[in-house]
Structure formats: C-alpha cells, structure tokens
Amino acid sequence: MATIAEHGLDGLTMAGLGREVGMSSGHLLYYFRTKDELLLRTLEWSEGRLGAERSALLSRPAGARERLEAYVDLYVPDGHRDPHWTLWLEVWNRSQNADEDARARQAAIEGAWHRDLVALLAEGISRGEFRAVDPDRYATRLRALLDGFSVHVAVGIPGTGRPQVLAHVAEFIADSLIP
C-alpha cells in the first residue's frame, strides 16, 4: 500500500515492487496477474482493516451522533497523499476500463460503508437524536460530500485540509440532521 501511494500505479513496476517486498516479479504476477488486480486486492486488504475498525467504533456504547462523528473521522483522509485514499484514487482512475468483476468488488467495498451509515442514521432517527430523514438518501448525499472533500484533502488542494473538511462536514450534519 505504501509503495503504491508513494509511486502511484503508473510509476510502479512489478520488478520494483518485488524488490521492495522481497519477491520476484514473476511471483507477484503469479498471485496478482496484473497491476490492476494488485491494486484492487491491496484496496480490499486495506478496506478489510478499516471495516473492522468501523465496525468496532459503530458498535461501541455511545450515542448515534458521537458514532457518526467517529465514522466521519475514519472516512476523511489523514492528509495529503494518505495511502488509503491514494489507493481509492488509483482505483477510481481505472474504473472506466475495469471489467464487471472489478466493478462489483469496488461496489461491495463502497456498499459496506453505505450500509453501515444507513443503519447508524436509522438508529439515530429512531432514538430521536437525528431528524426524520430518509436514511438511504441522506447517506448517499453525505458520502458524496465526504468523497468530494476527501479527494481534495488527499490530493492536497490548498484550503481543504483535514481540519477544514471536518469542520464543514460537522456544520452540514448539524444544519441538516440534528433536531
């Protein structure tokens, strides 16, 4: 993940990666077939780790609002060239030419984030912590906002660092979701 984040997929050779991880390029190609498959499997591995972290934070004994803040905190990149977000940018960049299997795998990753957010919103609504909104529609819009801001953070657009983004998202949630 760090090597892909540092060099980008176009700047990465299987031979160079093999040297960094102590494997031959032939070994890497045997397991991954292509650089695109290597990228997607790396993203799936990274998302597996984040999914476990997300599950733990969403199941802790706290109010829905506090857990929503934790969800947003986990979602937004740590800063410019965040390795996890660099993987996403690489995957999205290649999505136009991806096969159906790769698209389905990407959709499964995104779907997990969406389902968890919908469930959290529905819980908060049922407990009166959030306004009565359609949880699925709100989750779609909030994730689009998070994705847009997160891309800005990950690519380093001036004025859209992590603290500014978290403040914008908190204001949006307060204005649109908190009674």
Side-chain angles (χ1 to χ4, degrees), residues 52-62 67 120 123:
E53 191 174 342
R54 187 177 66 245
S55 179
L57 73 84
L58 292 176
S59 63
R60 58 185 201 205
R67 287 181 287 139
L120 178 59
E123 178 188 335

Side-chain angles (χ1 to χ4, degrees), residues 89-162:
L89 295 174
E90 290 283 352
V91 166
W92 285 336
N93 187 45
R94 290 171 151 56
S95 291
Q96 288 181 316
N97 299 319
D99 62 25
E100 290 304 312
D101 176 63
R103 287 174 187 265
R105 290 162 61 195
Q106 180 182 343
I109 295 168
E110 298 215 28
W113 281 94
H114 187 78
R115 283 187 304 279
D116 285 348
L117 181 55
V118 169
L120 178 59
L121 293 169
E123 178 188 335
I125 292 164
S126 72
R127 292 183 176 181
E129 293 181 58
F130 300 146
R131 288 185 186 150
V133 297
D134 178 325
D136 187 64
R137 286 174 51 93
Y138 190 90
T140 298
R141 292 173 180 169
L142 179 57
R143 287 188 52 249
L145 179 74
L146 288 168
D147 283 345
F149 274 135
S150 293
V151 168
H152 288 197
V153 172
V155 301
I157 293 178
T160 55
R162 180 178 169 80

Side-chain angles (χ1 to χ4, degrees), residues 67-90:
R67 287 181 287 139
L68 179 57
E69 289 171 6
Y71 176 100
V72 169
D73 187 61
L74 184 63
Y75 201 105
V76 175
D78 289 333
H80 180 231
R81 299 187 63 82
D82 176 285
H84 177 77
W85 269 90
T86 299
L87 290 175
W88 268 114
L89 295 174
E90 290 283 352

